[in-house]
């Protein structure tokens, strides 16, 4: 599998993990020290990976068989670093996510997520 394909696989894990409230997928997609940052309900939200996963699990999953929205607009790879811009939906809200990924020990993981919530 090429690095671009591997990065795409991590993005799929992330989007499916959110949509289906799959904790194992989210833990696999994100580095344990990852940060999730964005403006939410009028305040800047800074979350750890575990806080983010807890927030995801607090919402109901989409019905089985649903095809989650995932529009990868940009993938930029250089060596062991990658950037992905993806539009997705969660809990009836549309987001544009800017994901920073790093290849660690031969595996790609999300180390930072900066998001924009569309209104």
């Amino acid at each position: 599998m090429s690095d671009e394909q591997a990065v795409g696989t991590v993005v799929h894990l992330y989007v499916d993990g959110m949509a289906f409230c799959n904790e194992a997928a989210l833990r696999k997609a994100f580095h344990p020290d990852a940060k999730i940052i964005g403006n939410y309900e009028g305040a800047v939200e800074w979350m750890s990976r575990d806080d983010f996963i807890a927030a995801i699990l607090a919402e109901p999953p989409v019905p089985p068989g649903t095809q989650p929205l995932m529009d990868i607009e940009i993938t930029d790879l250089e060596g062991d670093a990658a950037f992905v811009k993806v539009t997705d939906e969660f809990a009836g809200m549309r987001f544009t996510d800017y994901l920073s990924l790093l290849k660690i020990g031969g595996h790609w993981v999300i180390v930072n997520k900066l998001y924009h919530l569309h209104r």
Side-chain angles (χ1 to χ4, degrees), residues 22-33:
N22 183 331
E23 181 176 358
L26 292 169
R27 289 193 181 280
K28 187 173 181 180
F30 282 89
H31 186 275
D33 293 327

mmCIF file with all atom_site columns, all heavy atoms in Angstrom, residues 22-33:
data_model
loop_
_atom_site.group_PDB
_atom_site.id
_atom_site.type_symbol
_atom_site.label_atom_id
_atom_site.label_alt_id
_atom_site.label_comp_id
_atom_site.label_asym_id
_atom_site.label_entity_id
_atom_site.label_seq_id
_atom_site.pdbx_PDB_ins_code
_atom_site.Cartn_x
_atom_site.Cartn_y
_atom_site.Cartn_z
_atom_site.occupancy
_atom_site.B_iso_or_equiv
_atom_site.pdbx_formal_charge
_atom_site.auth_seq_id
_atom_site.auth_comp_id
_atom_site.auth_asym_id
_atom_site.auth_atom_id
_atom_site.pdbx_PDB_model_num
ATOM 1  N N   . ASN A 1 22 ? -17.469 4.361  16.662 1.00 0.00 ? 22 ASN A N   1
ATOM 2  C CA  . ASN A 1 22 ? -16.586 3.211  16.804 1.00 0.00 ? 22 ASN A CA  1
ATOM 3  C C   . ASN A 1 22 ? -15.320 3.645  17.530 1.00 0.00 ? 22 ASN A C   1
ATOM 4  O O   . ASN A 1 22 ? -14.395 4.201  16.933 1.00 0.00 ? 22 ASN A O   1
ATOM 5  C CB  . ASN A 1 22 ? -16.262 2.649  15.418 1.00 0.00 ? 22 ASN A CB  1
ATOM 6  C CG  . ASN A 1 22 ? -15.401 1.409  15.467 1.00 0.00 ? 22 ASN A CG  1
ATOM 7  O OD1 . ASN A 1 22 ? -14.612 1.221  16.388 1.00 0.00 ? 22 ASN A OD1 1
ATOM 8  N ND2 . ASN A 1 22 ? -15.543 0.565  14.465 1.00 0.00 ? 22 ASN A ND2 1
ATOM 9  N N   . GLU A 1 23 ? -15.280 3.392  18.820 1.00 0.00 ? 23 GLU A N   1
ATOM 10 C CA  . GLU A 1 23 ? -14.154 3.811  19.650 1.00 0.00 ? 23 GLU A CA  1
ATOM 11 C C   . GLU A 1 23 ? -12.839 3.200  19.183 1.00 0.00 ? 23 GLU A C   1
ATOM 12 O O   . GLU A 1 23 ? -11.813 3.896  19.133 1.00 0.00 ? 23 GLU A O   1
ATOM 13 C CB  . GLU A 1 23 ? -14.418 3.442  21.115 1.00 0.00 ? 23 GLU A CB  1
ATOM 14 C CG  . GLU A 1 23 ? -13.303 3.868  22.039 1.00 0.00 ? 23 GLU A CG  1
ATOM 15 C CD  . GLU A 1 23 ? -13.600 3.583  23.502 1.00 0.00 ? 23 GLU A CD  1
ATOM 16 O OE1 . GLU A 1 23 ? -14.692 3.094  23.829 1.00 0.00 ? 23 GLU A OE1 1
ATOM 17 O OE2 . GLU A 1 23 ? -12.712 3.868  24.325 1.00 0.00 ? 23 GLU A OE2 1
ATOM 18 N N   . ALA A 1 24 ? -12.831 1.922  18.838 1.00 0.00 ? 24 ALA A N   1
ATOM 19 C CA  . ALA A 1 24 ? -11.594 1.266  18.415 1.00 0.00 ? 24 ALA A CA  1
ATOM 20 C C   . ALA A 1 24 ? -11.027 1.918  17.150 1.00 0.00 ? 24 ALA A C   1
ATOM 21 O O   . ALA A 1 24 ? -9.807  2.127  17.042 1.00 0.00 ? 24 ALA A O   1
ATOM 22 C CB  . ALA A 1 24 ? -11.837 -0.226 18.183 1.00 0.00 ? 24 ALA A CB  1
ATOM 23 N N   . ALA A 1 25 ? -11.889 2.266  16.205 1.00 0.00 ? 25 ALA A N   1
ATOM 24 C CA  . ALA A 1 25 ? -11.432 2.920  14.972 1.00 0.00 ? 25 ALA A CA  1
ATOM 25 C C   . ALA A 1 25 ? -10.835 4.288  15.282 1.00 0.00 ? 25 ALA A C   1
ATOM 26 O O   . ALA A 1 25 ? -9.784  4.657  14.731 1.00 0.00 ? 25 ALA A O   1
ATOM 27 C CB  . ALA A 1 25 ? -12.579 3.052  13.981 1.00 0.00 ? 25 ALA A CB  1
ATOM 28 N N   . LEU A 1 26 ? -11.477 5.048  16.150 1.00 0.00 ? 26 LEU A N   1
ATOM 29 C CA  . LEU A 1 26 ? -10.973 6.371  16.505 1.00 0.00 ? 26 LEU A CA  1
ATOM 30 C C   . LEU A 1 26 ? -9.636  6.277  17.235 1.00 0.00 ? 26 LEU A C   1
ATOM 31 O O   . LEU A 1 26 ? -8.717  7.053  16.968 1.00 0.00 ? 26 LEU A O   1
ATOM 32 C CB  . LEU A 1 26 ? -12.002 7.126  17.341 1.00 0.00 ? 26 LEU A CB  1
ATOM 33 C CG  . LEU A 1 26 ? -13.272 7.520  16.589 1.00 0.00 ? 26 LEU A CG  1
ATOM 34 C CD1 . LEU A 1 26 ? -14.340 8.012  17.563 1.00 0.00 ? 26 LEU A CD1 1
ATOM 35 C CD2 . LEU A 1 26 ? -12.975 8.570  15.532 1.00 0.00 ? 26 LEU A CD2 1
ATOM 36 N N   . ARG A 1 27 ? -9.503  5.322  18.125 1.00 0.00 ? 27 ARG A N   1
ATOM 37 C CA  . ARG A 1 27 ? -8.227  5.148  18.842 1.00 0.00 ? 27 ARG A CA  1
ATOM 38 C C   . ARG A 1 27 ? -7.110  4.745  17.879 1.00 0.00 ? 27 ARG A C   1
ATOM 39 O O   . ARG A 1 27 ? -5.964  5.146  18.057 1.00 0.00 ? 27 ARG A O   1
ATOM 40 C CB  . ARG A 1 27 ? -8.366  4.127  19.962 1.00 0.00 ? 27 ARG A CB  1
ATOM 41 C CG  . ARG A 1 27 ? -9.192  4.657  21.109 1.00 0.00 ? 27 ARG A CG  1
ATOM 42 C CD  . ARG A 1 27 ? -9.099  3.815  22.370 1.00 0.00 ? 27 ARG A CD  1
ATOM 43 N NE  . ARG A 1 27 ? -9.937  4.399  23.400 1.00 0.00 ? 27 ARG A NE  1
ATOM 44 C CZ  . ARG A 1 27 ? -9.601  5.441  24.149 1.00 0.00 ? 27 ARG A CZ  1
ATOM 45 N NH1 . ARG A 1 27 ? -8.427  6.010  23.980 1.00 0.00 ? 27 ARG A NH1 1
ATOM 46 N NH2 . ARG A 1 27 ? -10.419 5.915  25.058 1.00 0.00 ? 27 ARG A NH2 1
ATOM 47 N N   . LYS A 1 28 ? -7.445  3.978  16.869 1.00 0.00 ? 28 LYS A N   1
ATOM 48 C CA  . LYS A 1 28 ? -6.449  3.572  15.876 1.00 0.00 ? 28 LYS A CA  1
ATOM 49 C C   . LYS A 1 28 ? -6.066  4.745  14.965 1.00 0.00 ? 28 LYS A C   1
ATOM 50 O O   . LYS A 1 28 ? -4.910  4.878  14.569 1.00 0.00 ? 28 LYS A O   1
ATOM 51 C CB  . LYS A 1 28 ? -6.982  2.408  15.039 1.00 0.00 ? 28 LYS A CB  1
ATOM 52 C CG  . LYS A 1 28 ? -5.967  1.816  14.111 1.00 0.00 ? 28 LYS A CG  1
ATOM 53 C CD  . LYS A 1 28 ? -6.490  0.567  13.438 1.00 0.00 ? 28 LYS A CD  1
ATOM 54 C CE  . LYS A 1 28 ? -5.423  -0.013 12.514 1.00 0.00 ? 28 LYS A CE  1
ATOM 55 N NZ  . LYS A 1 28 ? -5.874  -1.221 11.850 1.00 0.00 ? 28 LYS A NZ  1
ATOM 56 N N   . ALA A 1 29 ? -7.018  5.623  14.650 1.00 0.00 ? 29 ALA A N   1
ATOM 57 C CA  . ALA A 1 29 ? -6.769  6.733  13.736 1.00 0.00 ? 29 ALA A CA  1
ATOM 58 C C   . ALA A 1 29 ? -5.957  7.853  14.385 1.00 0.00 ? 29 ALA A C   1
ATOM 59 O O   . ALA A 1 29 ? -5.164  8.507  13.710 1.00 0.00 ? 29 ALA A O   1
ATOM 60 C CB  . ALA A 1 29 ? -8.096  7.297  13.218 1.00 0.00 ? 29 ALA A CB  1
ATOM 61 N N   . PHE A 1 30 ? -6.152  8.087  15.680 1.00 0.00 ? 30 PHE A N   1
ATOM 62 C CA  . PHE A 1 30 ? -5.531  9.219  16.378 1.00 0.00 ? 30 PHE A CA  1
ATOM 63 C C   . PHE A 1 30 ? -4.367  8.773  17.264 1.00 0.00 ? 30 PHE A C   1
ATOM 64 O O   . PHE A 1 30 ? -4.481  7.787  17.984 1.00 0.00 ? 30 PHE A O   1
ATOM 65 C CB  . PHE A 1 30 ? -6.546  9.934  17.273 1.00 0.00 ? 30 PHE A CB  1
ATOM 66 C CG  . PHE A 1 30 ? -7.483  10.837 16.538 1.00 0.00 ? 30 PHE A CG  1
ATOM 67 C CD1 . PHE A 1 30 ? -8.669  10.350 16.027 1.00 0.00 ? 30 PHE A CD1 1
ATOM 68 C CD2 . PHE A 1 30 ? -7.190  12.180 16.365 1.00 0.00 ? 30 PHE A CD2 1
ATOM 69 C CE1 . PHE A 1 30 ? -9.549  11.179 15.349 1.00 0.00 ? 30 PHE A CE1 1
ATOM 70 C CE2 . PHE A 1 30 ? -8.062  13.028 15.694 1.00 0.00 ? 30 PHE A CE2 1
ATOM 71 C CZ  . PHE A 1 30 ? -9.246  12.524 15.182 1.00 0.00 ? 30 PHE A CZ  1
ATOM 72 N N   . HIS A 1 31 ? -3.297  9.549  17.255 1.00 0.00 ? 31 HIS A N   1
ATOM 73 C CA  . HIS A 1 31 ? -2.201  9.353  18.207 1.00 0.00 ? 31 HIS A CA  1
ATOM 74 C C   . HIS A 1 31 ? -2.739  9.657  19.607 1.00 0.00 ? 31 HIS A C   1
ATOM 75 O O   . HIS A 1 31 ? -3.594  10.547 19.769 1.00 0.00 ? 31 HIS A O   1
ATOM 76 C CB  . HIS A 1 31 ? -1.048  10.302 17.849 1.00 0.00 ? 31 HIS A CB  1
ATOM 77 C CG  . HIS A 1 31 ? 0.157   10.070 18.682 1.00 0.00 ? 31 HIS A CG  1
ATOM 78 N ND1 . HIS A 1 31 ? 0.331   10.645 19.923 1.00 0.00 ? 31 HIS A ND1 1
ATOM 79 C CD2 . HIS A 1 31 ? 1.255   9.312  18.451 1.00 0.00 ? 31 HIS A CD2 1
ATOM 80 C CE1 . HIS A 1 31 ? 1.472   10.254 20.424 1.00 0.00 ? 31 HIS A CE1 1
ATOM 81 N NE2 . HIS A 1 31 ? 2.071   9.442  19.552 1.00 0.00 ? 31 HIS A NE2 1
ATOM 82 N N   . PRO A 1 32 ? -2.259  8.967  20.648 1.00 0.00 ? 32 PRO A N   1
ATOM 83 C CA  . PRO A 1 32 ? -2.768  9.222  22.000 1.00 0.00 ? 32 PRO A CA  1
ATOM 84 C C   . PRO A 1 32 ? -2.618  10.679 22.461 1.00 0.00 ? 32 PRO A C   1
ATOM 85 O O   . PRO A 1 32 ? -3.410  11.149 23.276 1.00 0.00 ? 32 PRO A O   1
ATOM 86 C CB  . PRO A 1 32 ? -1.928  8.291  22.879 1.00 0.00 ? 32 PRO A CB  1
ATOM 87 C CG  . PRO A 1 32 ? -1.501  7.198  21.966 1.00 0.00 ? 32 PRO A CG  1
ATOM 88 C CD  . PRO A 1 32 ? -1.334  7.831  20.611 1.00 0.00 ? 32 PRO A CD  1
ATOM 89 N N   . ASP A 1 33 ? -1.629  11.391 21.945 1.00 0.00 ? 33 ASP A N   1
ATOM 90 C CA  . ASP A 1 33 ? -1.412  12.783 22.344 1.00 0.00 ? 33 ASP A CA  1
ATOM 91 C C   . ASP A 1 33 ? -2.028  13.789 21.373 1.00 0.00 ? 33 ASP A C   1
ATOM 92 O O   . ASP A 1 33 ? -1.757  14.996 21.469 1.00 0.00 ? 33 ASP A O   1
ATOM 93 C CB  . ASP A 1 33 ? 0.090   13.071 22.482 1.00 0.00 ? 33 ASP A CB  1
ATOM 94 C CG  . ASP A 1 33 ? 0.718   12.301 23.632 1.00 0.00 ? 33 ASP A CG  1
ATOM 95 O OD1 . ASP A 1 33 ? 0.025   12.082 24.651 1.00 0.00 ? 33 ASP A OD1 1
ATOM 96 O OD2 . ASP A 1 33 ? 1.884   11.901 23.512 1.00 0.00 ? 33 ASP A OD2 1
#
